[in-house]
Amino acid sequence: MTRYVWKPNSNAARSWFLQSKGPFWTVPLGRRDGSVSISNETDALPPPTSNFTVLTQLFAAVNLDAKDLVVLSAGHTIGTSHCFSFSDRLYNFTGMENPSDIDPTLEPQYMMRLKSKCASLNDNTTLVEMDPGSFKTFDTDYFKLVSKRRGLFHSDGALLTDPFTRAYVQRHATGAFKDEFFADFAASMIKMGNANPLTGSQGEIRKKCSVVNH
């Protein structure tokens, strides 16, 4: 894994998205990756509870803008999440810790579906699909869900609170601009991959992208 959590191993990341029927992009050769994974560096990643202001600040800190934010958020079209990453939206939105303390921005039927899977704030084991129905495929369904107020995380819903990101979500929720979105995603991944590069004797140039040299 790369030393900087904002900069995933570019070849490995690209291969992962390709396997999920996602976009392809050219990865420059010769970049340096870290040789160790440091858990507390994930603290630099935007937490799923972030509002739009926090998200833009964290992205701006690594030279990523609002377009990168909404584009890269669509990576949530793949994978699953534990209940604890979003269960406060179901049971503890304002700190009252009861079943009626819900996030009013969540679409009601989707909220009830989530509650049927995540029984309480104490559920630390259950996994929920981030993009129900196509969580193994990279597509534009994420935008359809967010536009219907069915984004799983606070950070997903936050995209609807800004005019620019809301317009991007609504455009790609139509599913009519897949190639455009894929091109945007590839461009943002390249941009993120160029953040905080390792230089000099830092890290190593890997012989095989997915593993360290030793």
Side-chain angles (χ1 to χ4, degrees), residues 3-23:
R3 177 73 168 76
Y4 292 89
V5 296
W6 270 97
K7 187 180 67 172
N9 180 282
S10 298
N11 279 300
R14 181 185 63 180
S15 297
W16 184 62
F17 284 114
L18 278 175
Q19 291 171 8
S20 304
K21 301 181 181 179

Side-chain angles (χ1 to χ4, degrees), residues 60-77:
V62 287
N63 297 315
L64 298 174
D65 57 26
K67 183 175 182 180
D68 299 311
L69 165 59
V70 65
V71 168
L72 294 173
S73 291
H76 293 168
T77 189

